[in-house]
Amino acid sequence: MTTPETPNGVVHRNIKAPQSEEISGPAAGTRNNMSDEDLRQWQKHAQRVKEKVLEQVQVQLSDLLDQALTETVESFTQTQATFNGKTTSKSAPRSQRTDDGKVFVARPSLLDELFEINHIRTIYHMFIAVLLMFGLSTLAVDYIDQGRIVLEFDLLFFAFGKLGAVVWAWAVMFLYTLLVPYLTLVIWGSLYHTCPSKLGLSLGTGLILSAVQTYVLGLFPIFVVVQYQLPPASRFIVILEQIRFLMKSYSFIRETGPVIMRNTPKEGESPRFPSLSSYLYFLFCPTLIYRESYPRNTHIRWKYVGITTGMIFGCLFYAYFILVRLCVPVFTPETKQPFSKRTMVLAVFHSILPGIMLLLLCFFAFLHCWLNLFGELLRFADRMFYKDWWNSTSFANYYRTWNVVVHDWLYQYGYRDFLWLSKKKFRTAAMLSVFIVSAVVHEYALAMGFGFFYPVLFFLFGIFGVVFNFAMNDKRQSPVYNVLMWASLFLGQGVQVCLYSQEWYAQIHCPRTENSFWEMVTPRSWSCSYQR
């Protein structure tokens, strides 16, 4: 008998099927593993792309909303005057309608918004932890060296000594700034429209006020600082308040004077002047640009006031621990290290950490905490005292965003007025003039605060800062330039802390032998031979 043959196709399937399973089984597993790994990689990549896109969209949306809000307010202020309730025509010339200057808008500070993000708030918590470590290390060293816990804070008490002289000096400057410029404006404004020689009246009033300003707000604070030999922090309080009162009184005269000149009163009516209460509010609110009214909040957040006050005191203790733990042990003469180029270079690089920490503390304590504290107490709603300067890729942007309060004043009354006088022909000269004025004022504050003249900041800011401003301009957008900016800040702060600390001890151990001009302006650390 013959066995029936199986069809070729069926035999082929029966034979090949097991082989196929044996071969394809491991391959299929490998393909599945590769597919799972690719899927995970793709999910991670998609998540990173999503985070970047959301971050970019958030930043761009925030910028667009700020720009739209500012343009809306500007368009409103262009059609309605904010002084004395008078309106201007929509058909007024463009130069008049766009010359209102800074527009105040209700908005929170940037760090207040960023602290709502957990990741950013964690960085804030890290700084608090470092402060705790400074405190614990100080307590441990005191206990090991003296066998007991010492909480004297002698450096703080020394720095803020003679506060009585500071208080009465501030009171004199405040009362003068409140009454004299305001009464001068009222008297001048009452006579301006009826006086036959308006130019002579204005020049005479301006000269008299300038002379009085020079004596009261110019020479009087210097006399108090020198005569009473105030310690450093007390010196800085008097000098910085002197500068603030000068800038505020100038803004008040500069903003209200032209309005009085333009608005001729009707026959039988007296000129309209800003109220004394609005000027008093301006003297305390955290801005240097005068307006008769500002956007105001509806209530005071007392919890915010308490937290901000605590942060200010925390910054003071932070600065104290940085000086005591990181600066004094390096620059005190008791270290007995002979001066050389090696020790100089090492001192500069050792000063980078305390220098940059002091810079961040000054920014956070003053530009964020101090100004927000007064803004909250006065219900001042525009809290844009700074911008995201830490993201700057150019020094031009850094100078604009580091201190918006002072930048607005310099731009309004320095840069714009220079362009107006030069008919917008010398923009570079206007920028350089603003840099020089700012550098001189900064150096003046440091010289009076420390009690000696050592123009380190002037050269770093007025010379190198100008070069970096043009070399690293707004066209530089690469993150590499942000790294370069931070590296420059690190090195600059290290140089300042190192040289000012050396000069401080040189002034103590090698005092002046005469009071000649060159003796006072020549740094003592150049010739002092005491061993560090």
Side-chain angles (χ1 to χ4, degrees):
M1 296 180 59
T2 59
T3 304
E5 295 181 1
T6 307
N8 293 334
V10 176
V11 172
H12 175 75
R13 284 194 299 270
N14 291 338
I15 294 173
K16 297 293 183 181
Q19 295 178 358
S20 174
E21 290 177 1
E22 292 176 0
I23 296 174
S24 63
T30 303
R31 285 196 298 270
N32 290 334
N33 292 334
M34 293 178 61
S35 177
D36 294 341
E37 182 65 24
D38 292 342
L39 181 60
R40 285 193 295 270
Q41 293 294 333
W42 172 253
Q43 289 176 344
K44 292 180 181 179
H45 176 70
Q47 184 67 24
R48 289 195 296 268
V49 172
K50 175 185 174 183
E51 293 176 356
K52 291 182 179 180
V53 170
L54 289 177
E55 181 181 0
Q56 293 177 358
V57 169
Q58 183 179 3
V59 172
Q60 293 179 0
L61 182 59
S62 177
D63 293 340
L64 288 175
L65 289 176
D66 290 341
Q67 182 179 359
L69 183 59
T70 303
E71 290 177 353
T72 302
V73 175
E74 286 178 350
S75 63
F76 177 78
T77 56
Q78 288 170 6
T79 57
Q80 293 188 349
T82 57
F83 187 74
N84 294 333
K86 294 185 179 181
T87 59
T88 58
S89 172
K90 292 184 179 180
S91 60
R94 179 177 177 83
S95 60
Q96 294 180 7
R97 290 187 287 115
T98 60
D99 198 32
D100 294 329
K102 180 177 175 62
V103 177
F104 291 90
V105 181
R107 48 196 164 186
S109 288
L110 182 56
L111 283 183
D112 284 337
E113 291 183 322
L114 292 177
F115 284 157
E116 298 294 330
I117 304 174
N118 290 331
H119 303 291
I120 304 299
R121 192 162 59 247
T122 300
I123 300 177
Y124 170 71
H125 295 161
M126 292 167 60
F127 275 90
I128 297 178
V130 173
L131 174 60
L132 294 177
M133 291 300 102
F134 272 128
L136 290 176
S137 66
T138 303
L139 294 177
V141 170
D142 290 341
Y143 184 79
I144 293 173
D145 292 343
Q146 303 186 26
R148 61 188 180 90
I149 296 177
V150 181
L151 291 175
E152 294 180 350
F153 299 109
D154 51 345
L155 184 60
L156 277 179
F157 287 109
F158 162 73
F160 288 93
K162 300 183 179 180
L163 286 180
V166 174
V167 171
W168 76 260
W170 181 88
V172 171
M173 291 189 294
F174 168 72
L175 291 176
Y176 166 83
T177 307
L178 175 65
L179 299 177
V180 175
Y182 183 82
L183 294 178
T184 302
L185 179 77
V186 172
I187 296 174
W188 168 80
S190 301
L191 300 175
Y192 180 78
H193 294 285
T194 58
C195 181
S197 177
K198 294 181 173 59
L199 179 60
L201 175 66
S202 300
L203 289 177
T205 305
L207 290 175
I208 294 174
L209 181 61
S210 298
V212 179
Q213 291 270 94
T214 301
Y215 278 101
V216 180
L217 289 183
L219 300 179
F220 172 73
I222 299 176
F223 169 80
V224 172
V225 165
V226 175
Q227 181 68 23
Y228 289 88
Q229 292 295 304
L230 297 181
S234 300
R235 285 171 172 256
F236 276 111
I237 292 174
V238 174
I239 297 302
L240 292 179
E241 284 298 282
Q242 171 200 27
I243 297 172
R244 185 177 72 92
F245 284 135
L246 282 170
M247 297 172 75
K248 291 227 175 194
S249 59
Y250 181 84
S251 176
F252 175 71
I253 298 295
R254 177 66 176 77
E255 294 292 335
T256 56
V259 177
I260 295 175
M261 294 171 64
R262 289 195 301 265
N263 296 321
T264 303
K266 296 181 181 179
E267 187 176 355
E269 293 183 356
S270 59
R272 299 286 300 275
F273 301 106
S275 62
L276 181 62
S277 60
S278 66
Y279 180 47
L280 176 62
Y281 179 87
F282 167 64
L283 289 181
F284 286 98
C285 71
T287 182
L288 297 174
I289 306 297
Y290 175 77
R291 295 290 184 270
E292 194 172 7
S293 62
Y294 300 92
R296 305 280 293 273
N297 292 328
T298 57
H299 62 281
I300 300 175
R301 298 172 295 173
W302 291 106
K303 181 179 179 181
Y304 183 88
V305 171
I307 293 175
T308 306
T309 304
M311 289 191 294
I312 293 174
F313 282 103
C315 290
L316 284 177
F317 287 107
Y318 216 135
Y320 166 79
F321 286 125
I322 290 174
L323 292 174
V324 170
R325 305 304 302 170
L326 299 180
C327 292
V328 173
V330 176
F331 298 102
T332 182
E334 282 73 13
T335 55
K336 300 298 182 182
Q337 294 181 4
F339 178 77
S340 63
K341 293 181 179 179
R342 179 180 179 276
T343 58
M344 181 67 179
V345 172
L346 291 178
V348 169
F349 281 96
H350 182 90
S351 303
I352 287 177
L353 177 59
I356 199 64
M357 293 185 71
L358 289 174
L359 176 71
L360 296 177
L361 278 176
C362 290
F363 159 73
F364 185 75
F366 179 72
L367 292 176
H368 179 73
C369 296
W370 184 261
L371 296 183
N372 270 296
L373 175 63
F374 275 85
E376 190 66 31
L377 291 173
L378 296 174
R379 297 189 290 115
F380 185 81
D382 193 345
R383 308 290 180 85
M384 194 182 70
F385 308 128
Y386 53 88
K387 297 180 182 178
D388 58 336
W389 58 269
W390 48 86
N391 291 327
S392 298
T393 56
S394 66
F395 273 89
N397 185 69
Y398 168 75
Y399 292 139
R400 289 193 301 265
T401 56
W402 160 261
N403 188 343
V404 175
V405 179
V406 174
H407 172 266
D408 288 339
W409 193 93
L410 291 173
Y411 176 79
Q412 186 85 1
Y413 307 122
Y415 183 77
R416 283 182 49 174
D417 285 357
F418 190 100
L419 290 181
W420 177 76
L421 291 173
S422 63
K423 298 180 180 179
K424 299 182 179 181
K425 293 181 179 179
F426 306 103
R427 295 185 179 273
T428 302
M431 183 182 301
L432 289 176
S433 65
V434 170
F435 264 99
I436 293 174
V437 170
S438 181
V440 169
V441 173
H442 278 78
E443 189 58 44
Y444 164 76
L446 288 180
M448 296 303 303
F450 289 137
F452 55 79
F453 177 75
Y454 199 5
V456 178
L457 182 62
F458 179 82
F459 280 96
L460 291 178
F461 182 50
I463 297 179
F464 292 103
V466 173
V467 174
F468 286 146
N469 181 71
F470 289 100
M472 295 179 60
N473 50 42
D474 292 328
K475 297 180 181 179
R476 315 295 186 181
Q477 299 294 330
S478 173
V480 174
Y481 293 100
N482 182 251
V483 176
L484 292 177
M485 187 207 73
W486 275 105
S488 302
L489 288 179
F490 286 172
L491 185 58
Q493 289 302 118
V495 170
Q496 290 184 65
V497 170
C498 176
L499 296 184
Y500 282 126
S501 298
Q502 290 179 353
E503 182 66 19
W504 174 268
Y505 284 109
Q507 291 283 335
I508 295 175
H509 293 273
C510 300
R512 294 192 304 268
T513 57
E514 56 184 70
N515 292 324
S516 64
F517 174 78
W518 291 112
E519 185 78 9
M520 289 188 291
V521 300
T522 302
R524 302 299 302 162
S525 57
W526 292 1
S527 57
C528 187
S529 60
Y530 79 95
Q531 289 195 336
R532 297 169 175 82

